[in-house]
Amino acid sequence: MTAELVRGQNHPLPGSRLEIRVSAGRPVVAGATLSDAHGKVRGVEWVAHPGSPALPGLQVSRQAAADHRLAVDLDALPDAVHRVDVLLALPPGVAGPATFRGLAAPFVAVTGLDGTEIAGFTLTGLDAESAVIALELYRRQGAWKVRAVGQGYTGGLAEMLADQGLPEARELAAAIDDTVAQGLARSVPPPHLTEDPRTGLTAQAQQGTAHRDPAHRDPAHPAGQGPVHPTHQDQARQARRDRDPTHQDPTRQPQAHQDPAHQGPVRHGLQGPARQAQAHQDPAHQAYRGPAHQGPAQGPSAPPVRRTGGDSPAAPATAGDRAAGGGPVDYTHPGRRATAPPVPPPAIPPAEPGRPAQPVAGDATGWSMDERLYNQVWGMFEDLARTTAAYRSAVDFADSRREQELDKVLDDPRSRIGGAGDAARERARARHADLVGRARAALDRDLAQLTAEADVVEPALPPAFAAWSSPVWHAYRAPMEVPMALRLGDLHLPERPGLRIPMLVRLPLERGLWIDSGKALTNHRTDPAELRRLAMDTAVVHAARLLAVHPPGEFQVHVIDPAGAATAALAPLVTADVLAGPPASGAAGVTEVLARLTRRVDLVQMAIRGGAADALPPDLDTAEQLLIVNDFPHGFDDRAVTRLRYLADEGPAVGVHLMMVADREDAAEYGPLLDPLWRALLRLTPVPDDHLADPWVGHTWTYDPPVLPPGGQTLRELLARVVTARRTGGR
């Protein structure tokens, strides 16, 4: 039976190999410290944190996340260790509360490897603290126990580490914060939960659970709708688990002591907190210093719900809607019609015993086909991340076990020479090969199922989600609503390069984009001039897709090209006349465009604060705005750089988005001043590159940029249809 601990209570631990599971609802940093018999941390090498996640007998997460799984092997800890403290801290400078006062009470559980919960502790009563010791595992008279601690620190990690006797506490805390910030900057943004337009609740809220697994959905469903039943993909995942009665959930970080028999992908559904209300800053951007200097940061606001009558589904709103504040302003296209959300997928009979379920496109939960496909793609992304983590963990375990067995052979003088030693070494190698082979077989089985699912999902994707080679572009028609997400490229792992997952990010964009034209891209020796050309071509492709997936007139593109270096790359956009104006050149052009967009951000923010949409100037364009900046920082003075930072931080919340095409080394003279700018942008590359991480286990994924079909006709024909739709109003 699970022990529900209160602060100060302890409980014996029945085994040495454990998991510590953390659920916080918002991204937190999880770590651990090792202490000796006097309760002192002897050095930084006794602290496990995202920058140094693995210690003997201990492994923690590599990045901040809402859920963590820490692996502990008490028998593998150094003999001098008598206590393990589990730490939680709020990452500074990111969206979310700055103290635990604004966070739901985190829950921490100690479990066995089979998932059986041993003890749990809910950290209530936290207030102004930004770091807390949640639990401690301690050794007393040769036996290990767990104690609920809940000791918070208003001074954050630095104060907590100093309290444990670490001399380098402040330096280590700063290094951890920097590692977390870099990890969040390179992570693919996790999916957001969508609201039921009739209840205003997310599926999470309706279910009363942290996961959107349809098999666990609450029977109380919205009026007029039937219950959501397990889909084919849910049945396939369950079948994978049923094939192994000892299956354990592989969602924890890869660890060195995991049996490969406990493998197989598990999709827990969509995670990630709903976006919170945007903090409104002083519009005096001349004194702007970035969100880190303006009080606790808050996440960008979710687009307000816009209704056109009755119980029609919500549609993402334009900047004008956001400016309305209290009352909704309807900018609905006159040709749009309100339609009821489709009925969730009906019950699907189970697959025949012994045969995997056949994949079906859109076989996921959601209120529309696009949402089901979006959820299905993200589920495939999570499945691939977790099943690969399980495989890598199994290989690590096999390697570790082989090394231990070989070391024992070498430690015994009698087995160093002769037939006995050779036989022992051969047995160790054979066991290693068997373990790795079993793990690879499980991986191949699961990858085959995911590949089959990808093969049916890819052709069914709508234009916003589809590859450029998809036939859907040949039948393109201007949309009537803003899509829920946008494809920015593909992601894959080295275990199966041919299995590519569409990289989908939510619209409106919550972060700007940075197309890196740098000379130091991983594994590439492309000529620098060629990289710059490819980077600008990639930016044009992204801009064209954004124009195509927005309703006519609801998305505008501005370009800053100070030296005119991108004239050839911009030719498709200029020739088609889809830009808001000619590309700005020279210092005067840079200043004029930045001033105009900064003014728009200021006005909309003031309208939001005052709820005065009627006060907006009649000539203010309420469409979403994208600014493409090429060859930064050429043509930018200090004031222009300040405005650019302001747009990057404040613009996305009010419909102004940034796309930088730049080499970071070109702006090296600004030093750390521009570090917040680069971290605020999602880095993409014009060539395949290993730089993105998933939001679950932190694998490094290879990003593949979008590639147009040969011939160049697709882009020209698409832009021509966009212009026609603008001229005819989408009819």
Side-chain angles (χ1 to χ4, degrees), residues 319-408:
D321 294 353
R322 285 186 286 270
V329 176
D330 188 6
Y331 288 104
T332 302
H333 191 282
R336 298 180 193 172
R337 294 179 298 171
T339 58
V343 177
I348 299 174
E352 296 180 19
R355 294 184 59 186
Q358 295 301 311
V360 178
D363 200 8
T365 56
W367 296 104
S368 68
M369 187 60 176
D370 284 4
E371 184 180 358
R372 292 184 209 141
L373 288 167
Y374 171 81
N375 291 349
Q376 189 172 9
V377 168
W378 267 91
M380 292 162 54
F381 186 13
E382 183 177 2
D383 269 1
L384 183 54
R386 295 194 188 281
T387 196
T388 304
Y391 167 72
R392 293 178 180 179
S393 175
V395 172
D396 288 344
F397 168 76
D399 292 344
S400 175
R401 180 171 173 174
R402 179 186 58 185
E403 294 304 318
Q404 291 175 4
E405 292 177 351
L406 292 177
D407 287 343
K408 289 181 181 178

Side-chain angles (χ1 to χ4, degrees), residues 231-607:
T231 66
H232 272 314
Q233 267 57 61
D234 298 306
Q235 294 168 358
R237 291 189 293 277
Q238 186 61 48
R240 292 196 285 266
R241 293 193 290 269
D242 292 343
R243 280 196 294 268
D244 184 358
T246 61
H247 171 83
Q248 68 187 58
D249 189 347
T251 54
R252 59 179 171 275
Q253 294 284 344
Q255 50 187 292
H257 303 287
Q258 182 177 344
D259 192 301
H262 300 160
Q263 311 304 329
V266 174
R267 187 180 305 173
H268 285 290
L270 304 181
Q271 301 177 13
R275 291 173 282 181
Q276 303 298 315
Q278 171 71 23
H280 307 301
Q281 310 293 346
D282 189 340
H285 52 271
Q286 291 83 353
Y288 179 73
R289 295 181 296 161
H293 301 277
Q294 302 185 28
Q298 298 182 12
S301 60
V305 173
R306 173 175 54 197
R307 306 185 187 277
T308 56
D311 290 334
S312 61
T318 64
D321 294 353
R322 285 186 286 270
V329 176
D330 188 6
Y331 288 104
T332 302
H333 191 282
R336 298 180 193 172
R337 294 179 298 171
T339 58
V343 177
I348 299 174
E352 296 180 19
R355 294 184 59 186
Q358 295 301 311
V360 178
D363 200 8
T365 56
W367 296 104
S368 68
M369 187 60 176
D370 284 4
E371 184 180 358
R372 292 184 209 141
L373 288 167
Y374 171 81
N375 291 349
Q376 189 172 9
V377 168
W378 267 91
M380 292 162 54
F381 186 13
E382 183 177 2
D383 269 1
L384 183 54
R386 295 194 188 281
T387 196
T388 304
Y391 167 72
R392 293 178 180 179
S393 175
V395 172
D396 288 344
F397 168 76
D399 292 344
S400 175
R401 180 171 173 174
R402 179 186 58 185
E403 294 304 318
Q404 291 175 4
E405 292 177 351
L406 292 177
D407 287 343
K408 289 181 181 178
V409 173
L410 294 175
D411 289 341
D412 187 354
R414 295 171 298 178
S415 61
R416 292 178 185 174
I417 58 176
D422 293 340
R425 283 188 283 270
E426 184 59 31
R427 285 194 299 270
R429 296 188 183 99
R431 277 191 290 266
H432 175 270
D434 177 63
L435 292 175
V436 173
R438 290 165 56 196
R440 185 70 210 193
L443 175 69
D444 290 342
R445 178 195 64 210
D446 296 330
L447 291 181
Q449 293 183 2
L450 286 172
T451 301
E453 187 174 359
D455 288 343
V456 299
V457 168
E458 184 69 51
L461 296 178
F465 304 173
W468 284 107
S469 58
S470 172
V472 73
W473 293 108
H474 299 302
Y476 168 80
R477 295 186 62 183
M480 292 296 146
E481 298 289 348
V482 178
M484 67 181 302
L486 183 82
R487 185 171 186 160
L488 294 178
D490 296 323
L491 299 167
H492 73 265
L493 290 171
E495 283 77 6
R496 183 65 65 89
L499 178 54
R500 298 173 185 266
I501 303 296
M503 180 179 168
L504 303 181
V505 298
R506 288 297 298 266
L507 290 179
L509 295 171
E510 295 183 355
R511 296 169 64 183
L513 305 177
W514 166 29
I515 315 298
D516 188 358
S517 61
K519 298 177 283 294
L521 292 175
T522 305
N523 300 325
H524 287 283
R525 299 179 180 178
T526 309
D527 179 72
E530 178 67 7
L531 274 178
R532 292 179 183 273
R533 184 191 67 79
L534 291 174
M536 198 61 208
D537 287 343
T538 302
V540 170
V541 170
H542 287 312
R545 184 185 288 264
L546 282 164
L547 286 165
V549 303
H550 279 79
E554 291 200 9
F555 195 85
Q556 299 291 343
V557 178
H558 310 260
V559 176
I560 290 179
D561 185 22
T567 301
L570 292 169
L573 299 178
V574 175
T575 303
D577 196 25
V578 293
L579 297 178
S585 60
V590 171
T591 301
E592 191 276 329
V593 172
L594 292 176
R596 178 159 28 95
L597 292 178
T598 302
R599 172 178 174 270
R600 183 191 184 281
V601 172
D602 290 343
L603 290 174
V604 175
Q605 282 191 339
M606 287 188 288

